[in-house]
Amino acid sequence: MFGYPESMTRMLPLLLLFACAKERDAAPPTLDERTHDVYRTWDDAQDFDLAMVGLVDWIAENGRTDEAWLGMRLTNLTEDDLVQVTIPEGQDLADHVGIANSGPSAFSIDLHAAAVVEADQIWNDPSTFEVYDRSIIEGDAETFAAGTGLVRTENEVLKGGPFGVEIPYSLRKDYRWVGLGDRRAFVARHWISEAGCSDNGNNCVNQTFGLDVFVEDGDETLRLLTNWLYVVTAADGLLTEDARIGLVATGNQDLIVKADEELATRDAR
């Protein structure tokens, strides 16, 4: 799920403000290495559990810091990281950028688990997702929402952009609960196998890979959202490299904030 934020849908002059976007610092080695390890070992239970222990420990210690919320640069994924993941044809992994953002959610991990198995996922960011239809191709939604198991999903997405641009793409996103003793957590891994482009071919999601981690923290949830992304748009000539990276980071923030806004409406019912 790519992370360009709703700010991209506003008028062109606003995009110029991002030319002075704050440079994001490189992620500390522990975070960078663990995100690669988790992505790579997804289907290797023993190594995956070890990688998740390290990643969850980092989130528990650092997930509420200003630096984590602002976003930190991740090194690019390599072919060795993409186990059982198909890279879109003709793509160079050197082209994408990686960003990790972390922050607290005021809502329980159980509420998050119930939401992620729903068929309609537009609530992730209704200001930019025009279609986000989720189909579970393996696993059981009720079992996952109850706190165990794995679900694999296919998602048909239509992402809206500035000036009426629409980009359709098919997203694979799989979720699994992780056993970490007394600490409860689940994590998702996502990717696209084919690039998705607007009708005129000028705006494309060429690469998107990512992790979405949910860690129980009392009555709240700590979240880590990573995106390794390569998107081409008609506005690219206006954006510096730091601005491009900043858009991915603020897009991650938008997804975290929009989820809490949705859960707040449900909690009030």
Side-chain angles (χ1 to χ4, degrees), residues 206-221:
N206 288 326
Q207 299 175 42
T208 180
F209 313 95
L211 296 171
D212 199 352
V213 187
F214 300 75
V215 180
E216 187 173 45
D217 191 38
D219 294 332
E220 296 188 339
T221 304

Side-chain angles (χ1 to χ4, degrees), residues 1-8 18 97 99 101 124-125 128-129 159-160 169 171 190 205 207-210 225-231 243-256:
M1 174 167 46
F2 74 91
Y4 275 21
E6 64 180 286
S7 49
M8 281 289 286
F18 287 102
V97 296
I99 294 291
N101 295 78
N124 277 280
D125 189 350
T128 61
F129 288 118
K159 184 82 168 180
Y169 60 98
L171 179 78
H190 74 253
V205 182
Q207 299 175 42
T208 180
F209 313 95
L225 186 60
T226 78
N227 265 302
W228 288 273
L229 182 67
Y230 176 38
V231 172
R244 177 185 170 209
I245 293 166
L247 285 169
V248 182
T250 54
N252 286 348
Q253 292 170 348
D254 282 348
L255 292 171
I256 293 172

Side-chain angles (χ1 to χ4, degrees), residues 62-217:
N62 302 281
R64 294 177 180 270
T65 64
D66 291 342
E67 292 81 5
W69 179 247
L70 180 65
M72 294 165 287
R73 290 285 308 265
L74 299 171
T75 57
N76 284 26
L77 293 174
T78 68
E79 289 191 17
D80 290 340
D81 294 319
L82 302 180
V83 178
Q84 297 188 1
V85 171
T86 302
I87 303 171
E89 184 177 358
Q91 292 298 309
D92 185 342
L93 294 175
D95 290 335
H96 68 244
V97 296
I99 294 291
N101 295 78
S102 185
S105 164
F107 299 94
S108 73
I109 197 170
D110 296 299
L111 286 175
H112 284 284
V116 302
V117 292
E118 294 175 354
D120 186 352
Q121 293 286 309
I122 286 179
W123 57 264
N124 277 280
D125 189 350
S127 63
T128 61
F129 288 118
E130 298 178 19
V131 175
Y132 196 149
D133 293 336
R134 172 160 292 168
S135 299
I136 295 177
I137 59 174
E138 181 181 334
D140 180 76
E142 291 185 4
T143 300
F144 189 87
T148 61
L150 172 148
V151 291
R152 303 185 193 274
T153 78
E154 291 182 347
N155 304 268
E156 295 305 317
V157 180
L158 183 64
K159 184 82 168 180
F163 312 114
V165 171
E166 296 179 331
I167 304 178
Y169 60 98
S170 297
L171 179 78
R172 177 66 180 269
K173 191 165 187 178
D174 300 342
Y175 294 82
R176 64 190 299 176
W177 282 92
V178 186
L180 298 169
D182 293 336
R183 192 190 301 275
R184 302 169 68 219
F186 68 88
V187 57
R189 179 178 74 157
H190 74 253
W191 70 93
I192 60 170
S193 298
E194 296 182 0
C197 294
S198 59
D199 288 342
N200 62 12
N202 293 333
N203 305 271
C204 297
V205 182
N206 288 326
Q207 299 175 42
T208 180
F209 313 95
L211 296 171
D212 199 352
V213 187
F214 300 75
V215 180
E216 187 173 45
D217 191 38

